[in-house]
């Protein structure tokens, strides 16, 4: 190949794929909206660029002005636990019983508090995902005279979380 184009270069140029790209004796073009400058994941150094200065830059506001993109519209879903975390003393008696019954590990006492970020790192809660999906389907941007939901991007924490969201969506909205 004379030219290899790498989409999502900040993700795909490391680990096993890096060896594939090094094997080709060709020009590499890396595309990314989020270049990395971390020691072990540095897209700037990989492509021989000065730190923090990409070859080209096309900002969101310009892409909107040029009508390649529309302005994003964020729908903030007001769910308590993912935002505020879990605080044992604020739980109902029933929730405290459920909390105490969780398997925290051998000899590990249940914590009194888990902040929202930590909670989102390890807990994919069925009820939370179901409520977020319901909120989206009820309050999301609609098209075709309101008959269907518009194209929508749902951000997940990781691939496992994305699969969980898909499973819950398929369960709640099989049609």
């Amino acid at each position: 190949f004379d030219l290899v184009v790498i989409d999502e270069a900040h993700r795909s140029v490391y680990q096993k794929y890096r060896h594939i790209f090094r094997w080709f004796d060709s020009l590499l073009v890396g595309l990314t909206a989020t270049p990395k400058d971390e020691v072990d994941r540095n897209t700037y150094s990989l492509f021989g660029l000065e730190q923090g200065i990409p070859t080209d830059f096309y900002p969101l506001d310009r892409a909107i002005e040029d009508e390649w993109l529309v302005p994003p519209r964020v729908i903030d879903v007001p769910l308590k636990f993912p935002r505020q975390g879990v605080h044992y003393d604020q739980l109902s008696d029933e929730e405290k019983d459920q909390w105490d019954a969780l398997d925290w590990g051998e000899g590990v006492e249940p914590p009194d508090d888990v902040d929202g970020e930590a909670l989102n790192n390890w807990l994919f809660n069925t009820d939370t995902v179901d409520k977020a999906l319901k909120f989206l389907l009820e309050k999301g941007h609609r098209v075709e005279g309101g008959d269907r939901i518009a194209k929508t991007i749902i951000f997940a924490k990781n691939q496992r979380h994305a699969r969980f969201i898909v499973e819950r969506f398929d369960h709640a909205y099989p049609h």
Side-chain angles (χ1 to χ4, degrees):
F1 296 100
D2 294 323
L3 175 67
V4 176
V5 179
I6 307 164
D7 193 17
E8 294 291 316
H10 65 284
R11 287 194 193 120
S12 59
V13 295
Y14 304 102
Q15 298 169 355
K16 64 182 175 184
Y17 296 110
R18 182 179 206 146
H19 299 294
I20 295 169
F21 299 132
R22 284 189 173 163
W23 186 83
F24 289 105
D25 183 22
S26 64
L27 294 174
L28 297 178
V29 174
L31 305 172
T32 180
T34 53
K36 300 285 185 187
D37 60 1
E38 299 162 10
V39 172
D40 61 335
R41 293 178 176 251
N42 190 316
T43 49
Y44 296 105
S45 66
L46 181 70
F47 292 99
L49 301 172
E50 188 177 332
Q51 289 293 77
I53 301 177
T55 304
D56 196 22
F57 176 68
Y58 192 54
L60 176 63
D61 56 347
R62 172 95 187 272
I64 292 169
E65 182 181 309
D66 293 345
E67 297 183 353
W68 288 107
L69 297 175
V70 296
R73 194 181 100 178
V74 176
I75 296 175
D76 194 18
V77 182
L79 297 172
K80 181 180 175 186
F81 288 157
R83 291 234 180 262
Q84 299 173 7
V86 177
H87 307 286
Y88 188 81
D89 59 347
Q90 295 175 358
L91 297 175
S92 68
D93 289 339
E94 182 182 333
E95 290 169 331
K96 286 178 182 177
D97 290 341
Q98 291 173 0
W99 184 262
D100 293 336
L102 289 172
D103 181 10
W104 294 95
E106 189 70 32
V108 176
E109 290 292 316
D112 290 332
D113 297 288
V114 178
D115 69 28
E117 185 175 338
L119 189 65
N120 287 323
N121 280 334
W122 60 268
L123 178 64
F124 303 147
N125 180 285
T126 300
D127 185 56
T128 298
V129 171
D130 289 351
K131 284 179 180 174
L133 290 171
K134 182 176 187 246
F135 188 92
L136 169 67
L137 273 279
E138 290 175 359
K139 309 243 185 221
H141 183 67
R142 304 198 77 75
V143 294
E144 297 179 10
D147 290 340
R148 69 181 191 97
I149 194 86
K151 288 182 182 179
T152 303
I153 298 173
I154 298 174
F155 289 92
K157 188 74 178 170
N158 53 36
Q159 209 165 14
R160 188 169 65 93
H161 187 215
R163 281 190 206 104
F164 183 75
I165 293 169
V166 168
E167 288 171 14
R168 295 309 307 158
F169 184 87
D170 289 345
H171 175 79
Y173 305 98
H175 50 287

